[in-house]
Amino acid sequence: MKKTILTALVLLLCCLCLPALAAEHNAAGIYTVQYDENAYRIDDTAYLYENTDEYSWLFMLYNSTEDIFIDAAMEVIPEFEGTTLFSADAQSRSEYLAATLDAFADQDIQYLATITAGEWQIPFYVYSMTDEDGSFLYAETIVNGCAIHFNANHPNSSELSDALLPALEELLLTFAPVVPEG
């Protein structure tokens, strides 16, 4: 009996110690992110019809209870032509932050944090904002004049919860640019 209980306990501990099953998503050959495929699902077709020469919707990640949605997109920002935040100096980053706060002032924007992703040390500036649908988080970096951004929200609520920022941060920390070989 003791051996059976001990064996069952060891098996249970092994199951609890297994890492989350990570899936990697390649966003249009531009970057990859990883997510727990047991906790999240990905949709990379729903809003492709919105894509233009200046804007590309890339994917939506949502959890199994569908109370957290994270949309990923990329768009050309003419004011930041030639700007790349991960190689920018402190003054350029400060100017970016001021320009972004000014551009979204009508959406009650508030700067929350900078999350630095991966070995490339890519800075994502994270903001809380409000629009006609409610409050959401917005994370953005600029690469050669293109904004790569993520919107995180609760589709069934206009309010932010304590779970939203950690979910967004977990995704951003796995961000890695796709670097062509050769």
Side-chain angles (χ1 to χ4, degrees):
M1 177 79 171
K2 288 182 182 180
K3 286 183 181 182
T4 304
I5 292 174
L6 182 60
T7 302
L9 182 59
V10 168
L11 287 173
L12 177 63
L13 287 173
C14 287
C15 289
L16 293 175
C17 293
L18 289 175
L21 296 176
E24 183 173 271
H25 180 70
N26 185 315
I30 302 163
Y31 63 86
T32 62
V33 290
Q34 295 178 9
Y35 62 96
D36 178 353
E37 65 183 351
N38 288 327
Y40 290 94
R41 289 178 277 180
I42 199 155
D43 178 350
D44 59 0
T45 61
Y47 297 102
L48 290 175
Y49 67 90
E50 293 182 354
N51 290 358
T52 66
D53 290 340
E54 292 82 30
Y55 173 86
S56 295
W57 177 84
L58 300 170
F59 66 89
M60 178 188 335
L61 189 68
Y62 55 98
N63 65 352
S64 56
T65 56
E66 296 190 7
D67 64 344
I68 294 177
F69 279 35
I70 302 174
D71 271 300
M74 186 174 80
E75 64 186 298
V76 175
I77 309 292
E79 305 88 81
F80 293 112
E81 182 178 349
T83 300
T84 298
L85 290 178
F86 73 82
S87 61
D89 61 20
Q91 181 175 340
S92 296
R93 288 184 183 196
S94 180
E95 290 169 0
Y96 156 79
L97 180 59
T100 302
L101 292 172
D102 186 53
F104 292 104
D106 62 333
Q107 293 183 318
D108 299 323
I109 189 171
Q110 293 182 347
Y111 167 75
L112 299 178
T114 302
I115 296 171
T116 304
E119 66 183 75
W120 287 71
Q121 300 291 292
I122 297 172
F124 280 92
Y125 289 75
V126 181
Y127 310 91
S128 66
M129 299 169 76
T130 303
D131 64 11
E132 63 277 354
D133 295 323
S135 297
F136 62 98
L137 297 180
Y138 179 81
E140 177 179 72
T141 194
I142 305 291
V143 178
N144 198 23
C146 290
I148 296 174
H149 55 84
F150 297 83
N151 291 346
N153 65 56
H154 300 293
N156 301 320
S157 172
S158 62
E159 300 297 318
L160 298 176
S161 78
D162 292 338
L164 201 55
L165 183 57
L168 179 60
E169 181 176 17
E170 184 178 323
L171 182 67
L172 292 175
L173 288 174
T174 69
F175 180 94
V178 173
V179 180
E181 292 182 28

PDB file of all heavy atoms in Angstrom, residues 23 25 35-44 59-71 171:
ATOM      1  N   ALA A  23       4.179  26.485 -27.647  1.00  0.00           N
ATOM      2  CA  ALA A  23       4.061  26.505 -29.104  1.00  0.00           C
ATOM      3  C   ALA A  23       4.727  27.779 -29.580  1.00  0.00           C
ATOM      4  O   ALA A  23       4.703  28.802 -28.896  1.00  0.00           O
ATOM      5  CB  ALA A  23       2.598  26.474 -29.521  1.00  0.00           C
ATOM      6  N   HIS A  25       4.854  30.630 -32.605  1.00  0.00           N
ATOM      7  CA  HIS A  25       4.121  31.168 -33.753  1.00  0.00           C
ATOM      8  C   HIS A  25       5.034  32.122 -34.517  1.00  0.00           C
ATOM      9  O   HIS A  25       5.617  33.035 -33.942  1.00  0.00           O
ATOM     10  CB  HIS A  25       2.856  31.909 -33.309  1.00  0.00           C
ATOM     11  CG  HIS A  25       2.098  32.460 -34.467  1.00  0.00           C
ATOM     12  ND1 HIS A  25       1.425  31.664 -35.366  1.00  0.00           N
ATOM     13  CD2 HIS A  25       1.925  33.733 -34.896  1.00  0.00           C
ATOM     14  CE1 HIS A  25       0.866  32.421 -36.294  1.00  0.00           C
ATOM     15  NE2 HIS A  25       1.154  33.684 -36.030  1.00  0.00           N
ATOM     16  N   TYR A  35       3.894  30.649 -26.747  1.00  0.00           N
ATOM     17  CA  TYR A  35       2.768  30.689 -25.829  1.00  0.00           C
ATOM     18  C   TYR A  35       2.448  29.276 -25.374  1.00  0.00           C
ATOM     19  O   TYR A  35       2.821  28.296 -26.025  1.00  0.00           O
ATOM     20  CB  TYR A  35       1.544  31.345 -26.486  1.00  0.00           C
ATOM     21  CG  TYR A  35       1.042  30.597 -27.702  1.00  0.00           C
ATOM     22  CD1 TYR A  35       0.006  29.681 -27.594  1.00  0.00           C
ATOM     23  CD2 TYR A  35       1.630  30.787 -28.950  1.00  0.00           C
ATOM     24  CE1 TYR A  35      -0.428  28.976 -28.707  1.00  0.00           C
ATOM     25  CE2 TYR A  35       1.189  30.088 -30.061  1.00  0.00           C
ATOM     26  CZ  TYR A  35       0.151  29.186 -29.928  1.00  0.00           C
ATOM     27  OH  TYR A  35      -0.279  28.487 -31.030  1.00  0.00           O
ATOM     28  N   ASP A  36       1.778  29.153 -24.265  1.00  0.00           N
ATOM     29  CA  ASP A  36       1.376  27.859 -23.721  1.00  0.00           C
ATOM     30  C   ASP A  36       0.164  27.372 -24.510  1.00  0.00           C
ATOM     31  O   ASP A  36      -0.922  27.932 -24.405  1.00  0.00           O
ATOM     32  CB  ASP A  36       1.041  28.015 -22.240  1.00  0.00           C
ATOM     33  CG  ASP A  36       0.568  26.734 -21.581  1.00  0.00           C
ATOM     34  OD1 ASP A  36       0.353  25.716 -22.288  1.00  0.00           O
ATOM     35  OD2 ASP A  36       0.394  26.748 -20.349  1.00  0.00           O
ATOM     36  N   GLU A  37       0.360  26.334 -25.299  1.00  0.00           N
ATOM     37  CA  GLU A  37      -0.731  25.871 -26.158  1.00  0.00           C
ATOM     38  C   GLU A  37      -1.850  25.183 -25.382  1.00  0.00           C
ATOM     39  O   GLU A  37      -2.920  24.956 -25.930  1.00  0.00           O
ATOM     40  CB  GLU A  37      -0.203  24.977 -27.267  1.00  0.00           C
ATOM     41  CG  GLU A  37       0.408  23.689 -26.811  1.00  0.00           C
ATOM     42  CD  GLU A  37       0.982  22.886 -27.976  1.00  0.00           C
ATOM     43  OE1 GLU A  37       0.765  23.225 -29.143  1.00  0.00           O
ATOM     44  OE2 GLU A  37       1.662  21.904 -27.685  1.00  0.00           O
ATOM     45  N   ASN A  38      -1.626  24.874 -24.106  1.00  0.00           N
ATOM     46  CA  ASN A  38      -2.715  24.352 -23.280  1.00  0.00           C
ATOM     47  C   ASN A  38      -3.605  25.468 -22.751  1.00  0.00           C
ATOM     48  O   ASN A  38      -4.762  25.237 -22.416  1.00  0.00           O
ATOM     49  CB  ASN A  38      -2.170  23.548 -22.102  1.00  0.00           C
ATOM     50  CG  ASN A  38      -1.596  22.226 -22.538  1.00  0.00           C
ATOM     51  OD1 ASN A  38      -2.069  21.619 -23.495  1.00  0.00           O
ATOM     52  ND2 ASN A  38      -0.562  21.772 -21.860  1.00  0.00           N
ATOM     53  N   ALA A  39      -3.050  26.664 -22.655  1.00  0.00           N
ATOM     54  CA  ALA A  39      -3.799  27.787 -22.091  1.00  0.00           C
ATOM     55  C   ALA A  39      -4.328  28.745 -23.141  1.00  0.00           C
ATOM     56  O   ALA A  39      -5.296  29.470 -22.894  1.00  0.00           O
ATOM     57  CB  ALA A  39      -2.913  28.546 -21.109  1.00  0.00           C
ATOM     58  N   TYR A  40      -3.704  28.777 -24.328  1.00  0.00           N
ATOM     59  CA  TYR A  40      -4.075  29.755 -25.350  1.00  0.00           C
ATOM     60  C   TYR A  40      -4.303  29.096 -26.702  1.00  0.00           C
ATOM     61  O   TYR A  40      -3.743  28.053 -27.006  1.00  0.00           O
ATOM     62  CB  TYR A  40      -2.960  30.804 -25.517  1.00  0.00           C
ATOM     63  CG  TYR A  40      -2.840  31.730 -24.347  1.00  0.00           C
ATOM     64  CD1 TYR A  40      -1.947  31.459 -23.317  1.00  0.00           C
ATOM     65  CD2 TYR A  40      -3.617  32.876 -24.264  1.00  0.00           C
ATOM     66  CE1 TYR A  40      -1.838  32.316 -22.231  1.00  0.00           C
ATOM     67  CE2 TYR A  40      -3.513  33.730 -23.183  1.00  0.00           C
ATOM     68  CZ  TYR A  40      -2.627  33.445 -22.174  1.00  0.00           C
ATOM     69  OH  TYR A  40      -2.515  34.282 -21.103  1.00  0.00           O
ATOM     70  N   ARG A  41      -5.106  29.761 -27.494  1.00  0.00           N
ATOM     71  CA  ARG A  41      -5.311  29.392 -28.898  1.00  0.00           C
ATOM     72  C   ARG A  41      -4.917  30.584 -29.752  1.00  0.00           C
ATOM     73  O   ARG A  41      -4.939  31.720 -29.288  1.00  0.00           O
ATOM     74  CB  ARG A  41      -6.773  29.025 -29.147  1.00  0.00           C
ATOM     75  CG  ARG A  41      -7.131  27.689 -28.489  1.00  0.00           C
ATOM     76  CD  ARG A  41      -8.562  27.369 -28.693  1.00  0.00           C
ATOM     77  NE  ARG A  41      -9.269  28.110 -27.633  1.00  0.00           N
ATOM     78  CZ  ARG A  41     -10.561  28.104 -27.450  1.00  0.00           C
ATOM     79  NH1 ARG A  41     -11.331  27.450 -28.264  1.00  0.00           N
ATOM     80  NH2 ARG A  41     -11.109  28.775 -26.477  1.00  0.00           N
ATOM     81  N   ILE A  42      -4.576  30.307 -30.996  1.00  0.00           N
ATOM     82  CA  ILE A  42      -4.146  31.381 -31.883  1.00  0.00           C
ATOM     83  C   ILE A  42      -5.010  31.387 -33.133  1.00  0.00           C
ATOM     84  O   ILE A  42      -5.428  30.348 -33.619  1.00  0.00           O
ATOM     85  CB  ILE A  42      -2.645  31.248 -32.223  1.00  0.00           C
ATOM     86  CG1 ILE A  42      -2.094  32.567 -32.741  1.00  0.00           C
ATOM     87  CG2 ILE A  42      -2.376  30.106 -33.165  1.00  0.00           C
ATOM     88  CD1 ILE A  42      -0.618  32.730 -32.533  1.00  0.00           C
ATOM     89  N   ASP A  43      -5.307  32.586 -33.610  1.00  0.00           N
ATOM     90  CA  ASP A  43      -6.054  32.771 -34.857  1.00  0.00           C
ATOM     91  C   ASP A  43      -5.225  33.732 -35.700  1.00  0.00           C
ATOM     92  O   ASP A  43      -4.970  34.859 -35.287  1.00  0.00           O
ATOM     93  CB  ASP A  43      -7.427  33.368 -34.562  1.00  0.00           C
ATOM     94  CG  ASP A  43      -8.245  33.642 -35.811  1.00  0.00           C
ATOM     95  OD1 ASP A  43      -7.708  33.556 -36.935  1.00  0.00           O
ATOM     96  OD2 ASP A  43      -9.436  33.968 -35.658  1.00  0.00           O
ATOM     97  N   ASP A  44      -4.780  33.276 -36.867  1.00  0.00           N
ATOM     98  CA  ASP A  44      -3.988  34.154 -37.724  1.00  0.00           C
ATOM     99  C   ASP A  44      -4.648  34.382 -39.084  1.00  0.00           C
ATOM    100  O   ASP A  44      -3.981  34.711 -40.057  1.00  0.00           O
ATOM    101  CB  ASP A  44      -2.557  33.643 -37.878  1.00  0.00           C
ATOM    102  CG  ASP A  44      -2.473  32.251 -38.467  1.00  0.00           C
ATOM    103  OD1 ASP A  44      -3.518  31.650 -38.775  1.00  0.00           O
ATOM    104  OD2 ASP A  44      -1.347  31.754 -38.618  1.00  0.00           O
ATOM    105  N   PHE A  59      -2.013  38.369 -35.937  1.00  0.00           N
ATOM    106  CA  PHE A  59      -2.675  37.252 -35.263  1.00  0.00           C
ATOM    107  C   PHE A  59      -3.383  37.736 -34.007  1.00  0.00           C
ATOM    108  O   PHE A  59      -3.184  38.859 -33.546  1.00  0.00           O
ATOM    109  CB  PHE A  59      -1.683  36.133 -34.908  1.00  0.00           C
ATOM    110  CG  PHE A  59      -0.640  36.520 -33.879  1.00  0.00           C
ATOM    111  CD1 PHE A  59      -0.873  36.363 -32.528  1.00  0.00           C
ATOM    112  CD2 PHE A  59       0.591  37.015 -34.282  1.00  0.00           C
ATOM    113  CE1 PHE A  59       0.097  36.709 -31.592  1.00  0.00           C
ATOM    114  CE2 PHE A  59       1.567  37.352 -33.366  1.00  0.00           C
ATOM    115  CZ  PHE A  59       1.311  37.202 -32.004  1.00  0.00           C
ATOM    116  N   MET A  60      -4.221  36.841 -33.469  1.00  0.00           N
ATOM    117  CA  MET A  60      -4.877  37.065 -32.194  1.00  0.00           C
ATOM    118  C   MET A  60      -4.634  35.832 -31.329  1.00  0.00           C
ATOM    119  O   MET A  60      -4.798  34.702 -31.785  1.00  0.00           O
ATOM    120  CB  MET A  60      -6.380  37.253 -32.363  1.00  0.00           C
ATOM    121  CG  MET A  60      -7.111  37.431 -31.054  1.00  0.00           C
ATOM    122  SD  MET A  60      -8.924  37.439 -31.167  1.00  0.00           S
ATOM    123  CE  MET A  60      -9.265  37.952 -32.809  1.00  0.00           C
ATOM    124  N   LEU A  61      -4.225  36.058 -30.115  1.00  0.00           N
ATOM    125  CA  LEU A  61      -4.024  34.994 -29.147  1.00  0.00           C
ATOM    126  C   LEU A  61      -5.097  35.165 -28.084  1.00  0.00           C
ATOM    127  O   LEU A  61      -5.329  36.286 -27.607  1.00  0.00           O
ATOM    128  CB  LEU A  61      -2.628  35.146 -28.529  1.00  0.00           C
ATOM    129  CG  LEU A  61      -2.106  34.034 -27.652  1.00  0.00           C
ATOM    130  CD1 LEU A  61      -1.840  32.781 -28.474  1.00  0.00           C
ATOM    131  CD2 LEU A  61      -0.815  34.480 -26.980  1.00  0.00           C
ATOM    132  N   TYR A  62      -5.789  34.088 -27.749  1.00  0.00           N
ATOM    133  CA  TYR A  62      -6.800  34.203 -26.701  1.00  0.00           C
ATOM    134  C   TYR A  62      -6.769  32.967 -25.817  1.00  0.00           C
ATOM    135  O   TYR A  62      -6.437  31.878 -26.267  1.00  0.00           O
ATOM    136  CB  TYR A  62      -8.190  34.454 -27.278  1.00  0.00           C
ATOM    137  CG  TYR A  62      -8.657  33.441 -28.301  1.00  0.00           C
ATOM    138  CD1 TYR A  62      -9.487  32.400 -27.936  1.00  0.00           C
ATOM    139  CD2 TYR A  62      -8.273  33.543 -29.631  1.00  0.00           C
ATOM    140  CE1 TYR A  62      -9.921  31.481 -28.866  1.00  0.00           C
ATOM    141  CE2 TYR A  62      -8.700  32.625 -30.570  1.00  0.00           C
ATOM    142  CZ  TYR A  62      -9.522  31.593 -30.182  1.00  0.00           C
ATOM    143  OH  TYR A  62      -9.945  30.677 -31.111  1.00  0.00           O
ATOM    144  N   ASN A  63      -7.087  33.189 -24.542  1.00  0.00           N
ATOM    145  CA  ASN A  63      -7.007  32.076 -23.610  1.00  0.00           C
ATOM    146  C   ASN A  63      -8.258  31.206 -23.716  1.00  0.00           C
ATOM    147  O   ASN A  63      -9.238  31.559 -24.367  1.00  0.00           O
ATOM    148  CB  ASN A  63      -6.743  32.554 -22.182  1.00  0.00           C
ATOM    149  CG  ASN A  63      -7.855  33.377 -21.593  1.00  0.00           C
ATOM    150  OD1 ASN A  63      -8.798  33.749 -22.265  1.00  0.00           O
ATOM    151  ND2 ASN A  63      -7.739  33.674 -20.312  1.00  0.00           N
ATOM    152  N   SER A  64      -8.203  30.051 -23.079  1.00  0.00           N
ATOM    153  CA  SER A  64      -9.257  29.051 -23.233  1.00  0.00           C
ATOM    154  C   SER A  64     -10.609  29.517 -22.703  1.00  0.00           C
ATOM    155  O   SER A  64     -11.640  29.071 -23.176  1.00  0.00           O
ATOM    156  CB  SER A  64      -8.848  27.741 -22.565  1.00  0.00           C
ATOM    157  OG  SER A  64      -8.540  27.963 -21.206  1.00  0.00           O
ATOM    158  N   THR A  65     -10.612  30.440 -21.761  1.00  0.00           N
ATOM    159  CA  THR A  65     -11.885  30.957 -21.256  1.00  0.00           C
ATOM    160  C   THR A  65     -12.346  32.188 -22.038  1.00  0.00           C
ATOM    161  O   THR A  65     -13.386  32.756 -21.742  1.00  0.00           O
ATOM    162  CB  THR A  65     -11.779  31.318 -19.761  1.00  0.00           C
ATOM    163  OG1 THR A  65     -10.709  32.252 -19.583  1.00  0.00           O
ATOM    164  CG2 THR A  65     -11.531  30.078 -18.919  1.00  0.00           C
ATOM    165  N   GLU A  66     -11.559  32.574 -23.029  1.00  0.00           N
ATOM    166  CA  GLU A  66     -11.859  33.709 -23.908  1.00  0.00           C
ATOM    167  C   GLU A  66     -12.121  35.007 -23.151  1.00  0.00           C
ATOM    168  O   GLU A  66     -12.966  35.811 -23.528  1.00  0.00           O
ATOM    169  CB  GLU A  66     -13.005  33.379 -24.859  1.00  0.00           C
ATOM    170  CG  GLU A  66     -12.644  32.259 -25.808  1.00  0.00           C
ATOM    171  CD  GLU A  66     -13.648  32.049 -26.923  1.00  0.00           C
ATOM    172  OE1 GLU A  66     -14.573  32.853 -27.065  1.00  0.00           O
ATOM    173  OE2 GLU A  66     -13.473  31.067 -27.659  1.00  0.00           O
ATOM    174  N   ASP A  67     -11.354  35.217 -22.073  1.00  0.00           N
ATOM    175  CA  ASP A  67     -11.478  36.485 -21.363  1.00  0.00           C
ATOM    176  C   ASP A  67     -10.229  37.351 -21.504  1.00  0.00           C
ATOM    177  O   ASP A  67     -10.188  38.459 -20.998  1.00  0.00           O
ATOM    178  CB  ASP A  67     -11.840  36.271 -19.895  1.00  0.00           C
ATOM    179  CG  ASP A  67     -10.756  35.540 -19.109  1.00  0.00           C
ATOM    180  OD1 ASP A  67      -9.872  34.936 -19.731  1.00  0.00           O
ATOM    181  OD2 ASP A  67     -10.818  35.571 -17.877  1.00  0.00           O
ATOM    182  N   ILE A  68      -9.227  36.844 -22.218  1.00  0.00           N
ATOM    183  CA  ILE A  68      -8.050  37.643 -22.558  1.00  0.00           C
ATOM    184  C   ILE A  68      -7.778  37.470 -24.047  1.00  0.00           C
ATOM    185  O   ILE A  68      -7.624  36.348 -24.520  1.00  0.00           O
ATOM    186  CB  ILE A  68      -6.803  37.222 -21.756  1.00  0.00           C
ATOM    187  CG1 ILE A  68      -6.993  37.517 -20.265  1.00  0.00           C
ATOM    188  CG2 ILE A  68      -5.557  37.911 -22.293  1.00  0.00           C
ATOM    189  CD1 ILE A  68      -5.832  37.068 -19.394  1.00  0.00           C
ATOM    190  N   PHE A  69      -7.757  38.590 -24.760  1.00  0.00           N
ATOM    191  CA  PHE A  69      -7.421  38.600 -26.184  1.00  0.00           C
ATOM    192  C   PHE A  69      -6.198  39.481 -26.365  1.00  0.00           C
ATOM    193  O   PHE A  69      -6.130  40.581 -25.817  1.00  0.00           O
ATOM    194  CB  PHE A  69      -8.558  39.200 -27.013  1.00  0.00           C
ATOM    195  CG  PHE A  69      -9.689  38.257 -27.317  1.00  0.00           C
ATOM    196  CD1 PHE A  69     -10.095  37.294 -26.422  1.00  0.00           C
ATOM    197  CD2 PHE A  69     -10.357  38.350 -28.512  1.00  0.00           C
ATOM    198  CE1 PHE A  69     -11.142  36.436 -26.709  1.00  0.00           C
ATOM    199  CE2 PHE A  69     -11.415  37.506 -28.814  1.00  0.00           C
ATOM    200  CZ  PHE A  69     -11.804  36.545 -27.912  1.00  0.00           C
ATOM    201  N   ILE A  70      -5.239  39.009 -27.155  1.00  0.00           N
ATOM    202  CA  ILE A  70      -4.068  39.808 -27.489  1.00  0.00           C
ATOM    203  C   ILE A  70      -3.952  39.821 -29.008  1.00  0.00           C
ATOM    204  O   ILE A  70      -3.728  38.780 -29.618  1.00  0.00           O
ATOM    205  CB  ILE A  70      -2.785  39.258 -26.853  1.00  0.00           C
ATOM    206  CG1 ILE A  70      -2.920  39.190 -25.329  1.00  0.00           C
ATOM    207  CG2 ILE A  70      -1.578  40.105 -27.267  1.00  0.00           C
ATOM    208  CD1 ILE A  70      -1.752  38.513 -24.619  1.00  0.00           C
ATOM    209  N   ASP A  71      -4.159  40.984 -29.601  1.00  0.00           N
ATOM    210  CA  ASP A  71      -4.033  41.160 -31.047  1.00  0.00           C
ATOM    211  C   ASP A  71      -2.646  41.676 -31.370  1.00  0.00           C
ATOM    212  O   ASP A  71      -2.125  42.546 -30.666  1.00  0.00           O
ATOM    213  CB  ASP A  71      -5.035  42.212 -31.551  1.00  0.00           C
ATOM    214  CG  ASP A  71      -6.358  41.607 -31.918  1.00  0.00           C
ATOM    215  OD1 ASP A  71      -6.379  40.739 -32.805  1.00  0.00           O
ATOM    216  OD2 ASP A  71      -7.375  42.016 -31.335  1.00  0.00           O
ATOM    217  N   LEU A 171       3.995  36.995 -23.049  1.00  0.00           N
ATOM    218  CA  LEU A 171       4.115  36.876 -24.498  1.00  0.00           C
ATOM    219  C   LEU A 171       5.278  37.719 -25.025  1.00  0.00           C
ATOM    220  O   LEU A 171       6.093  37.248 -25.811  1.00  0.00           O
ATOM    221  CB  LEU A 171       2.814  37.293 -25.179  1.00  0.00           C
ATOM    222  CG  LEU A 171       2.802  37.166 -26.695  1.00  0.00           C
ATOM    223  CD1 LEU A 171       2.863  35.700 -27.113  1.00  0.00           C
ATOM    224  CD2 LEU A 171       1.553  37.831 -27.266  1.00  0.00           C
TER     225      LEU A 171
END
